[in-house]
Each structure stands twice: as structure tokens, then as C-alpha cells.
């Protein structure tokens, strides 16, 4: 039986693009209720690879960011948006407004509001 993923906290991840990617992948998995194994199956990658990405162990190729984003139904760039730190929890709405007024489903900056 797959281990239940817990709601990640921004301060648990390193302050880098790899940390932002790891946080956002894990948060989206948590919100969608899917395991690393299910995500790996959806994007045709190995579960151990997804685990290593979430632990900031491996650098990730752009093609794999695209695969992961597609499996999570978000834009690839949204996985690299840094979370707001020091909030203690994610209270984001699961979508955000970025410059230009475009709404982006699945952006997980954890801002506590719906604008970045």
C-alpha cells in the first residue's frame, strides 16, 4: 500500500530551483491525492526518480519537467515558482494570477492569496 503523502511545508525544502521544484511537485501530489508511484506511471518515469527529485538529489532535465508537469496537469514553469516561506503551511488556492492578469491553474506558490 502506498505511503500517504503529507502536506509539505515550504521551509522543509532547500532554497533553490530544485527545492522549489521538489516542493511544488510534492504539494501538487498531495492536493491531487496521488503517490510517487502513480505520478511516475503517469509521466513514464521511475518512482525512484520522482523520489530523488522530491528530495533534491538529482538535477532534472527540462524534458522531464515537461513530463511531470503534464502528468500533474500544470504548466512546466509553474513547478519552478518559489513558495512563500515562513507561512508554516500552504494556504494557496491551487491557482494564481501572474503578471499580465493570466490565471494559471495549479500554481502552488503558497502565498496565502491567489496572486504572485
Amino acid at each position: 500500500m502506498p505511503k500517504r503523502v503529507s502536506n509539505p511545508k515550504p521551509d522543509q525544502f532547500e532554497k533553490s530551483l530544485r527545492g522549489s521544484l521538489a516542493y511544488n511537485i510534492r504539494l501538487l501530489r498531495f492536493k491531487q491525492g496521488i503517490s510517487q508511484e502513480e505520478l511516475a506511471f503517469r509521466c513514464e518515469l521511475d518512482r525512484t526518480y520522482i523520489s530523488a527529485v522530491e528530495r533534491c538529489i538529482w538535477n532534472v532535465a527540462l524534458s522531464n519537467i515537461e513530463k511531470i508537469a503534464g502528468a500533474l496537469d500544470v504548466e512546466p514553469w509553474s513547478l519552478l515558482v518559489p513558495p512563500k516561506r515562513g507561512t508554516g503551511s500552504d494556504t494557496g488556492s491551487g491557482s494564481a494570477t501572474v503578471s499580465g492578469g493570466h490565471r494559471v491553474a495549479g500554481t502552488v506558490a503558497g502565498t496565502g492569496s491567489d496572486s504572485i
Side-chain angles (χ1 to χ4, degrees):
M1 182 156 132
K3 182 179 168 185
R4 180 173 160 81
V5 64
S6 61
N7 189 9
K9 308 289 187 271
D11 294 330
Q12 295 173 319
F13 295 84
E14 66 180 55
K15 295 176 183 171
S16 66
L17 279 177
R18 281 194 319 190
S20 296
L21 178 67
Y23 171 77
N24 290 330
I25 291 171
R26 185 164 176 170
L27 182 62
L28 285 167
R29 278 198 317 104
F30 173 77
K31 287 183 175 186
Q32 294 180 20
I34 62 173
S35 66
Q36 288 177 341
E37 187 173 18
E38 175 62 23
L39 176 60
F41 177 78
R42 289 182 186 183
C43 55
E44 299 179 349
L45 296 169
D46 193 85
R47 186 208 52 82
T48 59
Y49 181 81
I50 298 297
S51 174
V53 169
E54 287 189 2
R55 290 180 289 132
C56 302
I57 291 176
W58 291 346
N59 287 321
V60 184
L62 289 174
S63 58
N64 288 339
I65 292 174
E66 288 179 325
K67 288 179 181 181
I68 293 167
L72 293 169
D73 199 29
V74 296
E75 292 294 323
W77 64 265
S78 69
L79 294 176
L80 301 175
V81 175
K84 184 173 181 180
R85 298 185 182 274
T87 61
S89 66
D90 174 64
T91 56
S93 64
S95 66
T97 303
V98 294
S99 61
H102 302 285
R103 295 220 28 105
V104 180
T107 299
V108 290
T111 62
S113 68
D114 64 348
S115 57
I116 296 176

